[in-house]
Amino acid sequence: MKRAEIRARLDEWRREGRFEPRCDSWLAGFDEDFSRLLGAEGWIGLTWGPEYGGHGRGFAERFVLTEELLRAGAPVAGHWIADRQIGPAVARLGTEELRRHILPRIAAGEARFCLGMSEPDAGSDLASVRTRATRVDGGWALHGQKVWSSNAHRATHAYVLARTSDGTKRHEGLTEFVLDLDQPGVTVRRIPDLRGPGHFCEVFLDGATVPDAWVLGTVGNGWTQVTEQLSFERGGPERVLSTYPLLRLMLDSGGGPRLGELVARLTALRALGRQVAARMDAGEAPIAAAATLKLLGNRFEVDVIEAARELTRAGVGAAAWPRFAAMLADAQLSAPGFSLRGGTTEVLGVVVARSALEGAR
Ligand SMILES: Cc1cc2nc3c(=O)[nH]c(=O)nc-3n(C[C@H](O)[C@H](O)[C@H](O)COP(=O)(O)OP(=O)(O)OC[C@H]3O[C@@H](n4cnc5c(N)ncnc54)[C@H](O)[C@@H]3O)c2cc1C
């Protein structure tokens, strides 16, 4: 897949009015029709096999495609989580029945996933999850509460991390499930954010069921599996490019004393992102490298906003550039979440430092 061809296609769609570029488009830009359009184009499910509706390409190729989608500010939130981490997790760990059911639907842009990891008392400390799965005939019944599940109100399915037994250690006894949200026992409530009603939701589970075939991987092995999955969640270009459309406006207009520094940092971050993708293609789950990318990438995303604000404060006319003020304001409303979602700065620092210490031993 050639970068220039992707760019040309996206330009065409933008000119046709199929989307308006925005910052944070992978979380805030939710457009089911656009996800279906990308599915029809063959741009979802790149990393899994054609027998499951995918395209048999690697993470390195997906890296190029996702970079271009983010650079364009295209509304990709509808399929992002499914394409980035749940699809690959199902391809690696799911039963044949689950693969055949869900992967083609994700690749078509029809199955939309939310992430049910966090709970009111389990965020950074994910091993504290209290949502419980109990045995029922042919599967499991889920009871508990998830919170901050982005776009759950528009999702068809959820990934749920739940406790299936009480191990002697907290990290034992966790299991990963794929849950069909269209059933009794599921209640989704939206949580307002700075914009008012946004993507945040809480999900209440009161006896919702999951068949055995929809368990991901091994019962009780959820901690190891979710830790690996986090490298897919943290290691992509969306942890660097959430504010790229704003940087693009500054570049196009030639404005700002900090542009050189920002572009230099972006070049280094992209090199790291490509390394992470190559290691995923080699079958690794590069946990520390992905944490490094997110840690440094989030700082970069916020610094782009700060540089844009400096321009408006310096009165260089930036406020008059088309779309600049609106895009800056929108980016500012997303920014508080950058360093929290997918692991906070402090927690990522712990992951990186621990890995360095282990390497030094
Ligand atoms: C925009 C956004 C989207 C999100 N989407 C989802 C989603 O779709 N699904 C989902 O499950 N969750 C989602 N989350 C939740 C997110 O994963 C959690 O907010 C995050 O893991 C932090 O957990 P917490 O909010 O409970 O904070 P806490 O874990 O309570 O942390 C509070 C503070 O303590 C610090 N801290 C905690 N532990 C340590 C430590 N060991 N060492 C040093 N400092 C520490 C943290 O860095 C933080 O500053 C989203 C969050 C945001 C902001």
Side-chain angles (χ1 to χ4, degrees), residues 27 81 114-120 122-125 147-150 199-200 336-338 340-347 350:
L27 195 67
I81 285 166
C114 65
L115 279 182
M117 292 184 185
S118 306
E119 298 184 2
S124 305
D125 186 16
V147 73
W148 314 124
S149 309
S150 298
H199 58 80
F200 279 137
F338 294 169
L340 296 172
R341 59 190 183 190
T344 67
T345 302
E346 291 76 14
V347 167
V350 171

Side-chain angles (χ1 to χ4, degrees), residues 47-49 52 86-94 99 103 216:
T47 59
W48 56 85
Y52 304 116
I86 306 304
V90 170
R92 278 184 300 130
L93 303 168
R99 286 182 192 156
L103 293 177
L216 258 186

Side-chain angles (χ1 to χ4, degrees), residues 41-229:
E41 190 74 13
W43 286 8
I44 308 178
L46 231 55
T47 59
W48 56 85
E51 66 277 29
Y52 304 116
H55 305 283
R57 314 262 184 83
F59 284 94
E61 263 194 84
R62 182 177 179 273
F63 184 85
V64 173
L65 174 62
T66 48
E67 265 199 340
E68 291 306 321
L69 289 165
L70 297 164
R71 285 166 61 117
V76 288
H79 61 272
W80 198 262
I81 285 166
D83 182 56
R84 169 182 77 187
Q85 68 195 90
I86 306 304
V90 170
R92 278 184 300 130
L93 303 168
T95 62
E96 192 57 19
E97 180 184 325
L98 182 60
R99 286 182 192 156
R100 293 210 175 271
H101 179 83
I102 207 70
L103 293 177
R105 287 172 172 78
I106 294 175
E110 297 291 347
R112 298 178 295 280
F113 268 81
C114 65
L115 279 182
M117 292 184 185
S118 306
E119 298 184 2
D121 295 315
S124 305
D125 186 16
L126 197 54
S128 312
V129 297
R130 288 204 295 232
T131 293
R132 188 160 279 277
T134 48
R135 250 349 221 129
V136 292
D137 192 21
W140 299 83
L142 302 181
H143 291 269
Q145 180 191 352
K146 295 292 174 180
V147 73
W148 314 124
S149 309
S150 298
N151 295 310
H153 61 302
R154 303 187 265 209
T156 55
H157 296 79
Y159 160 93
V160 176
L161 183 68
R163 189 159 288 290
T164 38
S165 64
D166 296 303
T168 45
K169 294 187 189 139
R170 282 173 345 113
H171 298 105
E172 294 172 357
L174 293 168
T175 301
E176 297 185 298
F177 297 92
V178 171
L179 174 72
D180 187 339
L181 288 171
D182 185 16
Q183 59 169 303
V186 177
T187 306
V188 177
R189 277 198 218 136
R190 295 179 75 181
I191 307 172
D193 63 17
L194 288 173
R195 291 191 176 83
H199 58 80
F200 279 137
C201 295
E202 50 192 342
V203 180
F204 298 89
L205 303 170
D206 185 14
T209 56
V210 177
D212 279 323
W214 287 35
V215 170
L216 258 186
T218 309
V219 171
N221 194 37
W223 182 255
T224 306
Q225 292 174 198
V226 75
T227 313
E228 288 180 3
Q229 196 195 122

